[in-house]
Amino acid sequence: MTGSGQPSAPAGWYPDPDGAAGMVRWWDGGGWSDVTTPAGPGVAVRAAPVTAPPRPPLAPSDGSPWQAAPPRPAARARTARLVAGGVLAVVVVVVVALVVGLSGGSDTTVADPPLDDPPAGPTFPPGTVRIVDEEAGISYPFLGNGWYEYDLRPMAETRTTAGQYFTTQEQTPAGVFIAQCTSGPVSPGYGWTGPGSEQATVTALADRVRVAYYPYPNEREVLRDEALTVDGANAHLIEFQLTWDVEGYDSTGERAALLVIDVGRPDPALLYVSVPDTHAELYGVIDRVVAGVDVL
């Protein structure tokens, strides 16, 4: 926390106080979060220094450089994608009883032992900068520390599912809630008839995920519905903002984007990025990922 009489810096992205080159960390106005991301397009890095204490050193683990857990209380999970083994429960800290001295009447408090949060999913190998989805035929940027390799149940919209995610809320009326950036070859049944059907396919997919993975009732505002060229390939992007007021959810909305790319294979590739408004500071990753897609 900021010292007495010292004004807190405004919330925003700042150079990582841990000193990681090229990385920025989110400052919420009162403390550092666990969310880091590479500096780049879509990330407004504040130039003014943060008048805040450095982050405390991370507890040693198994020697892996992936020490930070994903941000815990404000999070999300695709409502229909609830895999019992996909998310680990939060460790409960055991409180040690007070030891009361019999002779002097003084109390001695034994401090709680430090416990690390368990990892929320498998981490990527050190040095990973891109996620390569061979099945879909595309690659795209890895979003950095705090994002975990997607290991939940494959999505019905794609024949296979690769990518990254982190848990944003561990319990909702429908299960866990996540932020995600996933990909895969589009499953049959979404209107793909070959080149020229990118818009029809992504429209069908956008309608499907709205019903399948978000609280209902919800309202949708379409932000972008446009044809693109991605690494020389024809593609179509739909980006929208959902809002809802449903009991049991920390979030009241979500920003999502779906990109269908004709990769020259029987099935097009789908890139799906979705971030709840509890982590609105990460909305900029949508533009960064879309701009960074390569066709294999």
Side-chain angles (χ1 to χ4, degrees):
M1 58 183 288
T2 303
S4 176
Q6 197 174 28
S8 175
W13 293 108
Y14 290 90
D16 186 7
D18 291 344
M23 301 296 291
V24 292
R25 186 176 296 276
W26 182 255
W27 168 261
D28 63 11
W32 294 106
S33 79
D34 287 328
V35 178
T36 61
T37 192
V43 178
V45 182
R46 293 184 177 274
V50 175
T51 54
R55 282 166 47 83
L58 297 170
S61 60
D62 58 358
S64 167
W66 300 95
Q67 300 278 343
R72 270 260 189 268
R76 140 199 173 347
R78 266 6 337 83
T79 47
R81 205 174 319 114
L82 326 170
V83 186
V87 180
L88 299 177
V90 176
V91 175
V92 178
V93 178
V94 179
V95 178
V96 180
L98 297 177
V99 179
V100 180
L102 296 179
S103 57
S106 61
D107 296 342
T108 302
T109 301
V110 180
D112 297 336
L115 296 175
D116 291 332
D117 287 339
T123 56
F124 289 88
T128 297
V129 294
R130 296 186 64 80
I131 294 173
V132 179
D133 185 348
E134 296 283 358
E135 293 294 325
I138 60 173
S139 69
Y140 46 92
F142 169 51
L143 294 174
N145 196 18
W147 291 79
Y148 291 80
E149 186 173 5
Y150 189 87
D151 64 341
L152 308 181
R153 184 171 56 193
M155 297 176 60
E157 296 74 27
T158 52
R159 291 192 290 102
T160 60
T161 307
Q164 54 199 321
Y165 82 104
F166 67 86
T167 300
T168 63
Q169 186 178 348
E170 292 185 349
Q171 291 186 336
T172 73
V176 297
F177 219 57
I178 64 172
Q180 73 177 76
C181 173
T182 54
S183 61
V186 175
S187 298
Y190 292 98
W192 180 252
T193 58
S197 59
E198 296 86 8
Q199 182 176 14
T201 300
V202 75
T203 299
L205 288 164
D207 290 342
R208 155 70 186 181
V209 300
R210 177 187 178 185
V211 173
Y213 302 138
Y214 300 98
Y216 186 84
N218 60 58
E219 299 292 331
R220 178 170 66 176
E221 177 188 2
V222 176
L223 306 177
R224 288 192 287 179
D225 185 349
E226 58 188 33
L228 299 176
T229 300
V230 175
D231 196 20
N234 292 332
H236 202 94
L237 172 73
I238 290 181
E239 181 177 352
F240 56 85
Q241 181 76 40
L242 288 179
T243 56
W244 58 77
D245 183 8
V246 179
E247 186 176 357
Y249 291 88
D250 292 342
S251 57
T252 58
E254 181 130 329
R255 182 76 58 87
L258 292 90
L259 177 69
V260 164
I261 311 164
D262 180 6
V263 292
R265 301 183 182 187
D267 301 316
L270 170 65
L271 177 70
Y272 176 30
V273 189
S274 192
V275 180
D277 61 5
T278 52
H279 291 69
E281 70 274 10
L282 297 178
Y283 284 170
V285 304
I286 294 176
D287 286 341
R288 185 184 321 147
V289 171
V290 170
V293 175
D294 288 338
V295 176
L296 303 182

